[in-house]
Amino acid sequence: MVSLATDAALGLTNLDDEIVVDELALEGELPAWLGGSLLRTGPARWDLGKQTVNHWFDGLAMLHRFTIGDGRVAYANRFLRSKAFEAAADGRPGYREFATDPCRSAFQRVASLFAPGATDNANVNVARLMGKWVALTETPLAVTFDPETLETLGVTKLPATTGGLAHPHGDEGTALSMGVHLMGPRPQYRLIKDDQVAARLAVKRPAYVHSFGLTERFAVLAEHPYTVNPLKLAVGKGPFIEHFEWHPEDGTRFVVFDRQTGAHVGDWRSDPFFLFHHVNAFGDGEDIVVDMCVYADPEIVAALGLQRLRAGEAIPKAYLERFRLKPGGGVERTRLSDEPFELPRIDYGRVNGRPYRYAWGSGARAEFFDTIVKVDVTTGETLTWGEGYPGEPVYVGRPGRTEEDDGVLLSVVLEPERGASSMVVLDAATLTELARARVPHHIPFGFHGQFSRA
Ligand SMILES: [Fe+2]
């Protein structure tokens, strides 16, 4: 039994139960127009029996579904039956995860870096790609699942042998991913359009890539100086992320590809910073504007280690910052809000790649994510909502809206006083709570989800 040092630590304990509930206890009132399913993935088992994994990111993936309709909320949760899940049945991790390495021979380590040896523990994000719902992690292996039953259907290998694919752009139409191609002697950043390589750039020491930005014309990757020697990654001992090194003297480079021609355009550099998430990007005259959740350095990677989180150590804060890439190579950097800001969402279908007004996220004021934040990126005006430990706020716009914030936010909140979680529905404009659907168990802290409209 894990002893809980803090209220938040409950969100980092195993959830073993898989349940189906037709109607959750509901407080408040759901908007009549809101219908569909919030589908989420996240880690749910870190203590495997004989071994505990090292990091929040390394728990076995579980899917969660909140289905909203007819004034009710139904819920189901189910472990992803991945190869990683099956391999861990003997009490230890079977695959090389983000910060956990199973004991293996050097030969197996090389093999485990590349598919089919890569992990399919898809606990980072879900997406509808080419007509199928998939759970994603940072390897080329996507796990298809049934959005109704949450049954695991199989593993799909994403095009090309890239890592860094947890945040694709697009949905049922064209899917765009940006990742690091690690096979062979010459690593590359690659922009993948459906199953074709649309752009590539050779790189000696690739950076850790988690997401990228997309304007109407360009794909943009903030290449922070947290980089790896690919050969050492392939043959070295230890988990994936421990091979990365921080080189602040290199600064951050912005890699920009023309989406049509695939050309690598321009060369912009800024002060060093670390990031997981691009928020949005757009063209503004000759400038390219890139908004991101920015950390001073990669200390957050170690801070999200399981022992440290369970002990209640505070995580470093990210802030919403704007980088304006000027013609000729200049970069202007502006902090858009002083409120900590991570796990960003926007009105994606309408404003991704375009000038926009609102971003929503989770912020960590104390030790862990404890606030939902709305930022007007044009004025810096910031609203917050804080109760329990809310995760990523998924924005769902009201059909027919004319205002960008006319909709709701759906967020899974851990309620320490109840020892369980709820899905809260907030007014996206005011952050007023509209409804709360109580789940009978705690939902371990997860990462990302998507709303599938009815
Ligand atoms: Fe992410």
Side-chain angles (χ1 to χ4, degrees):
M1 191 62 198
V2 179
S3 67
L4 301 182
T6 69
D7 283 348
L10 178 61
L12 298 150
T13 59
N14 286 7
L15 171 63
D16 291 321
D17 294 341
E18 298 177 313
I19 62 174
V20 179
V21 181
D22 289 338
E23 186 170 358
L24 296 175
L26 185 70
E27 276 177 23
E29 202 164 327
L30 297 162
W33 57 264
L34 183 62
S37 291
L38 174 67
L39 299 165
R40 296 188 59 79
T41 186
R45 184 179 290 162
W46 295 274
D47 300 292
L48 302 179
K50 295 177 185 148
Q51 189 179 334
T52 295
V53 297
N54 296 330
H55 203 274
W56 182 24
F57 296 0
D58 290 344
L60 292 174
M62 179 181 273
L63 299 172
H64 302 266
R65 170 177 62 77
F66 293 88
T67 299
I68 302 165
D70 302 324
R72 293 181 306 187
V73 180
Y75 170 79
N77 69 303
R78 200 159 179 178
F79 276 105
L80 207 61
R81 265 39 177 211
S82 60
K83 287 185 290 183
F85 178 87
E86 304 297 345
D90 69 354
R92 298 179 193 280
Y95 289 82
R96 187 187 220 185
E97 301 290 348
F98 181 81
T100 304
D101 195 34
C103 299
R104 292 180 176 207
S105 70
F107 173 78
Q108 285 170 318
R109 268 198 296 279
V110 175
S112 76
L113 187 62
F114 308 116
T119 185
D120 59 354
N121 181 31
N123 66 12
V124 181
N125 200 359
V126 297
R128 194 164 184 192
L129 295 181
M130 292 175 261
K132 290 180 188 167
W133 277 100
V134 291
L136 299 163
T137 182
E138 298 186 319
T139 72
L141 300 181
V143 182
T144 53
F145 66 91
D146 183 319
E148 180 67 34
T149 64
L150 305 184
E151 189 183 349
T152 300
L153 300 178
V155 175
T156 304
K157 190 172 175 304
L158 296 171
T161 47
T162 51
L165 300 164
H167 284 283
H169 282 285
D171 50 14
E172 284 182 79
T174 306
L176 280 160
S177 287
M178 176 95 78
V180 185
H181 177 78
L182 280 168
M183 290 283 272
R186 299 289 301 274
Q188 297 173 335
Y189 295 122
R190 284 185 170 181
L191 179 68
I192 311 286
K193 203 176 193 173
D194 286 336
D195 55 359
Q196 302 293 318
V197 178
R200 62 186 89 209
L201 179 69
V203 56
K204 276 193 181 147
R205 289 184 56 92
Y208 166 66
V209 174
H210 183 74
S211 68
F212 69 107
L214 207 58
T215 77
E216 290 178 311
R217 233 189 115 186
F218 300 110
V220 184
L221 171 67
E223 183 197 34
H224 54 195
Y226 191 53
T227 58
V228 69
N229 176 333
L231 263 181
K232 284 189 183 168
L233 180 63
V235 301
K237 288 185 180 177
F240 171 80
I241 201 65
E242 287 180 15
H243 291 280
F244 285 75
E245 294 171 357
W246 179 237
H247 290 281
E249 69 281 5
D250 293 342
T252 292
R253 176 172 69 148
F254 290 84
V255 173
V256 179
F257 291 121
D258 185 304
R259 290 173 59 180
Q260 286 305 316
T261 66
H264 173 229
V265 295
D267 189 21
W268 292 272
R269 282 174 196 276
S270 76
D271 300 337
F273 59 86
F274 175 86
L275 86 162
F276 290 110
H277 296 118
H278 296 71
V279 179
N280 199 1
F282 58 92
D284 182 16
E286 293 293 299
D287 298 350
I288 300 170
V289 176
V290 192
D291 293 349
M292 294 169 284
C293 301
V294 170
Y295 296 90
D297 57 46
E299 165 57 21
I300 183 68
V301 172
L304 297 178
L306 195 60
Q307 279 193 349
R308 288 177 62 170
L309 289 180
R310 283 177 168 175
E313 286 187 41
I315 62 174
K317 296 174 191 346
Y319 294 95
L320 179 56
E321 296 201 7
R322 171 161 293 181
F323 290 73
R324 184 174 281 275
L325 314 185
K326 309 289 289 184
V331 177
E332 290 173 2
R333 177 176 181 173
T334 319
R335 182 169 287 187
L336 297 177
S337 169
D338 288 327
E339 194 67 40
F341 194 89
E342 245 294 8
L343 300 169
R345 301 298 294 222
I346 57 176
D347 184 2
Y348 185 89
R350 292 199 178 187
V351 306
N352 188 61
R354 304 188 184 100
Y356 72 117
R357 186 155 177 198
Y358 298 113
W360 296 268
S362 295
R365 282 182 164 174
E367 80 271 19
F368 198 70
F369 297 106
D370 52 12
T371 314
I372 288 178
V373 185
K374 177 195 185 194
V375 179
D376 181 334
V377 300
T378 65
T379 64
E381 187 186 350
T382 301
L383 295 178
T384 61
W385 179 91
E387 205 175 293
Y389 297 93
E392 175 196 51
V394 174
Y395 173 80
V396 184
R398 187 178 64 79
R401 66 195 174 282
T402 52
E403 296 296 324
E404 199 177 308
D405 57 355
D406 183 358
V408 296
L409 303 173
L410 305 179
S411 177
V412 174
V413 179
L414 179 73
E415 301 168 339
E417 70 284 359
R418 199 166 67 87
S421 301
S422 288
M423 184 193 71
V424 297
V425 183
L426 304 184
D427 182 312
T430 61
L431 301 192
T432 309
E433 183 174 327
L434 302 175
R436 175 179 295 245
R438 297 190 187 277
V439 177
H441 55 213
H442 81 282
I443 294 180
F445 294 135
F447 305 108
H448 304 293
Q450 307 296 339
F451 191 73
S452 172
R453 284 184 191 271

